[in-house]
Amino acid sequence: MSRSKLHAVIGGGGLAGSLLALVLAKRGYRVTVLEKRSDLRGKDAPGGRSINLALSERGMYALGNVGLAEKALKQTIPMRGRLIHNTDGSTNFLPYSRHPHEFIRSVSRPGLNRLLLEEASNHPNIKLFFECSVVEVDQQEKTIVVQDAQGTLSKRSFDLLFGADGAGSAIRKSLGLESADVFSSEMLEHSYKELEMPSLENGDFAMSPEALHIWPRGTYMLIALPNLNRSFTCTLFLPNDGAPGFNQLTDADTLRAFFNDQFADAVRLLPSLEHDFFSNPTGSLGTIRCSSWTTSGHSLLLGDAAHAIVPFFGQGMNCAFEDVSVLSEMMDQTQEIDWPSLMGAFESSRIPNTNAIADMALENYIEMRDLVADEGFRLRRRVALELENRFPKQFKPRYSLVSFERVPYKVVQETGRNQSEILLTLCQDVTDFEHVDWTLAEQLVSRLPSLDGEAH
Ligand code: FAD
């Protein structure tokens, strides 16, 4: 069948689903998007569900591919580094890069989703349906059962089905991709809670907007990202059970005492702390890995449905967007697309990369909550930036490769391990930057493979 006649159904009109709809529609497919929630266009965001996100190069590239880079950019605030808030109230700024054009951006999740849905609703090949959940898939018949807001069930047919229905994917389950041999879900023993830091009475940001703020406290942390309305969304990441843990923060007095003790400079800027803490949901965090994303050659999972990761590298959405740009590039490389082989090739090329970012995201939790406050870590970070300065072809720090480049995550992971060994060697008997042995550095770095030509 010619591609203009093929009917693609996308379950989930979130970030990945709405972007994918645009990619398919622009290539002539008839696209139906079924979204469980109500239409968020023209609505305020519900509180407590990761309101803002860090958008980096992989995400920007994917938005650029559908002509939305400029519109998306207008919704973002540059964050040029981490601003560390120590317990004594002092702060340190750790830049993300030595290049002024390399930074990450804070973006509103509902704002970005709205932009994608608006663009999709203007495309003649796309039909959007809200308050419609995919509840079942029949792979033989190529039909799905959809439930509307009134609970009425109806059947729809598809030529291609894409499961972009997030970490709790009903499509994944119905396709039989949750059996123990292909699926694993590891919940973190930490959860998160969002808290609002409004703008000051004079309308200014309460803290510098040019940074991702972190209060690292060893086994837990508070972070804050700026919003366009000059507020910040703060997120507390804390063990479920522990001292401290969510299990202990059960009344307003204990909560306030904990914040006064640990986050004194933030607490005075959080006027609705108790309200937010006790009324916003506590979000769980986990890693989902599937070793199979496709069945029968006409159904494919992508985004969080295929690979949910913990948020500590700020990559879940960026990685979901990259799924779409990789799929789109693979489609462009073929004149007559054979979907079963394309879906198989997509899965095989992508899974090693999504597993790699899943691992790196888990490692980054330790870096954010613990290491950024550590002198040794700060020294290694400074040395890493200097190595990049001296040997730009061989050395680009792992954070930069993830956030400012499109080098496959698997390559970044391997490169990062080699770099980490070099940094540990160079810093092992050194307490300050001035005593680093740059001759040894040159020898060690010269053994690294060149990073040129590694982009997707
Ligand atoms: P989702 O955004 O979950 O979208 C899935 C959609 O499917 C939803 O709209 C849902 O309503 C719909 N749906 C669900 N079930 C059905 C069904 N049965 N039928 C139809 N529709 C259905 N990523 C970053 O890149 N940077 C960050 O800074 C970042 N920070 C984060 C902070 C937190 C606290 C969390 C939890 C996540 C963060 N992420 C971040 C990850 C990011 O939110 C996800 O990776 C991203 O939302 C994945 O997009 P998606 O479209 O695959 O899934």
Side-chain angles (χ1 to χ4, degrees), residues 7-255:
H7 178 211
V9 170
I10 302 175
L15 296 167
S18 49
L19 180 69
L20 176 65
L22 288 168
V23 162
L24 292 172
K26 280 174 198 265
R27 285 166 179 75
Y29 292 81
R30 282 188 302 123
V31 183
T32 299
V33 179
L34 301 163
E35 167 54 44
K36 184 178 181 171
R37 294 207 182 91
S38 57
D39 188 351
L40 55 70
R41 289 169 299 164
K43 271 197 210 156
D44 284 341
R49 195 180 165 263
S50 78
I51 289 165
N52 54 22
L53 305 165
L55 175 64
S56 51
E57 172 57 23
R58 293 167 206 263
M60 280 306 301
Y61 175 80
L63 291 165
N65 280 344
V66 294
L68 286 178
E70 240 173 79
K71 282 187 185 164
L73 268 186
K74 288 195 183 132
Q75 299 193 8
T76 67
I77 302 178
M79 297 185 291
R80 298 184 183 279
R82 295 161 167 167
L83 198 96
I84 310 302
H85 296 250
N86 302 309
T87 328
D88 63 6
S90 61
T91 56
N92 316 74
F93 181 72
L94 305 181
Y96 280 127
S97 166
R98 36 180 298 280
H99 303 292
H101 63 279
E102 290 184 339
F103 49 84
I104 57 172
R105 300 162 191 278
S106 176
V107 69
S108 145
R109 169 204 289 276
L112 188 55
N113 205 167
R114 204 175 289 133
L115 174 67
L116 287 161
L117 288 172
E118 267 159 14
E119 192 75 5
S121 68
N122 290 330
H123 200 292
N125 292 0
I126 303 178
K127 288 200 168 69
L128 302 173
F129 296 89
F130 295 93
E131 300 184 52
C132 282
S133 301
V134 179
V135 290
E136 214 177 297
V137 184
D138 185 326
Q139 298 184 66
Q140 303 306 319
E141 269 191 24
K142 291 198 182 176
T143 56
I144 48 170
V145 177
V146 179
Q147 185 170 38
D148 69 14
Q150 288 69 45
T152 311
L153 299 177
S154 59
K155 253 189 191 182
R156 283 172 181 267
S157 57
F158 62 83
D159 296 312
L160 300 170
L161 175 69
F162 294 93
D165 52 341
S169 174
I171 297 179
R172 184 178 65 220
K173 191 161 192 199
S174 192
L175 289 175
L177 295 175
E178 286 197 2
S179 55
D181 53 331
V182 291
F183 175 82
S184 74
S185 165
E186 273 171 68
M187 294 316 288
L188 210 61
E189 287 173 353
H190 293 224
S191 296
Y192 73 95
K193 181 79 82 175
E194 290 190 339
L195 310 164
E196 201 210 340
M197 182 182 285
S199 59
L200 299 174
E201 265 176 24
N202 65 8
D204 279 352
F205 281 102
M207 307 182 294
S208 161
E210 294 249 312
L212 190 155
H213 293 255
I214 312 182
W215 291 256
R217 297 294 182 261
T219 57
Y220 58 96
M221 68 177 175
L222 180 72
I223 68 166
L225 275 73
N227 296 310
L228 283 181
N229 68 1
R230 299 186 167 223
S231 67
F232 280 85
T233 301
C234 303
T235 311
L236 174 67
F237 294 94
L238 191 68
N240 298 327
D241 295 302
F246 277 108
N247 62 323
Q248 289 193 330
L249 302 179
T250 51
D251 64 81
D253 288 345
T254 316
L255 176 70

